[in-house]
Amino acid sequence: MEAATKQSVTNLLLTVKSASGKTYSQLAAETGLTNVYVAQLLRRQAQLKPDTVPKLREALPALTDELIAAMMSPPWRSYDPNLIQEPTIYRLNEAVMHFGDSIKEIINEDFGDGIMSAIDFYCSVDKVKGVDGNNRVVVTLDGKYLPHSEQRTENMVSRLNLKGSTSE
């Protein structure tokens, strides 16, 4: 999907959300999704699955068949490089950069040599009261652990398929 089309669909989806008067957290509660995933759906950064359509239609009755169809097509996942200039995005990036080495080290210590998936991944934003009574933001990043594999030729399917080939 070209950027202009994605942006026009996104604008329409966000207009529907705005007109509903509902927050992402309210929509999440109504659909059984995380608030961040609802935002990703409405920003065309995630694909709407068939089982979720009835719940989303009930939560946002103004969604047209055309918008639902657009949401069900595989999205063009991307971001605007200028997004980093937005203060909230900048601070999130800064937090990951500041704590990244420590987070990586703890993942390796607790799980082994590997990474956290951003595909088999859940994310949510919650508001809580701190011990001092001030509002606090809780961002949860919940990703599947993916171990790095030892690259043994005996497990490399393309090598196994080439053994019988005459093109070696």
Side-chain angles (χ1 to χ4, degrees):
M1 175 183 285
E2 64 185 61
T5 304
K6 177 181 176 179
Q7 190 57 54
S8 65
V9 169
T10 299
N11 290 342
L12 290 170
L13 291 168
L14 294 176
T15 298
V16 168
K17 183 227 177 244
S18 179
S20 78
K22 296 179 182 179
T23 66
Y24 287 116
S25 293
Q26 288 170 325
L27 293 168
E30 292 179 37
T31 58
L33 303 169
T34 67
N35 54 6
V36 173
Y37 196 78
V38 172
Q40 290 289 89
L41 283 171
L42 297 179
R43 293 188 163 280
R44 291 295 297 126
Q45 291 288 91
Q47 183 179 23
L48 178 62
K49 304 299 183 194
D51 291 351
T52 306
V53 171
K55 294 175 189 172
L56 192 61
R57 277 192 189 277
E58 189 173 328
L60 293 172
L63 285 175
T64 64
D65 290 342
E66 292 79 17
L67 288 174
I68 292 289
M71 294 174 77
M72 292 182 75
S73 67
W76 187 262
R77 292 172 177 92
S78 61
Y79 69 96
D80 179 348
N82 293 320
L83 191 61
I84 193 69
Q85 296 174 11
E86 200 287 324
T88 302
I89 305 300
Y90 181 84
R91 291 293 179 244
L92 285 168
N93 188 61
E94 181 181 47
V96 170
M97 292 297 151
H98 179 74
F99 291 98
D101 285 344
S102 300
I103 293 168
K104 180 227 181 294
E105 194 169 324
I106 293 167
I107 289 171
N108 291 159
E109 211 173 65
D110 289 353
F111 294 91
D113 183 25
I115 62 171
M116 178 180 69
S117 173
I119 295 174
D120 188 343
F121 185 84
Y122 298 86
C123 183
S124 64
V125 177
D126 297 290
K127 178 180 175 181
V128 299
K129 286 281 184 197
V131 294
D132 59 3
N134 289 322
N135 289 330
R136 302 196 58 87
V137 177
V138 177
V139 178
T140 302
L141 306 176
D142 177 348
K144 177 182 179 180
Y145 171 72
L146 301 172
H148 288 291
S149 59
E150 182 176 41
Q151 296 187 16
R152 302 175 58 97
T153 56
E154 65 196 46
N155 297 328
M156 191 173 169
V157 174
S158 62
R159 293 281 174 143
L160 296 174
N161 290 340
L162 289 177
K163 283 186 178 180
S165 168
T166 57
S167 62
E168 277 190 19

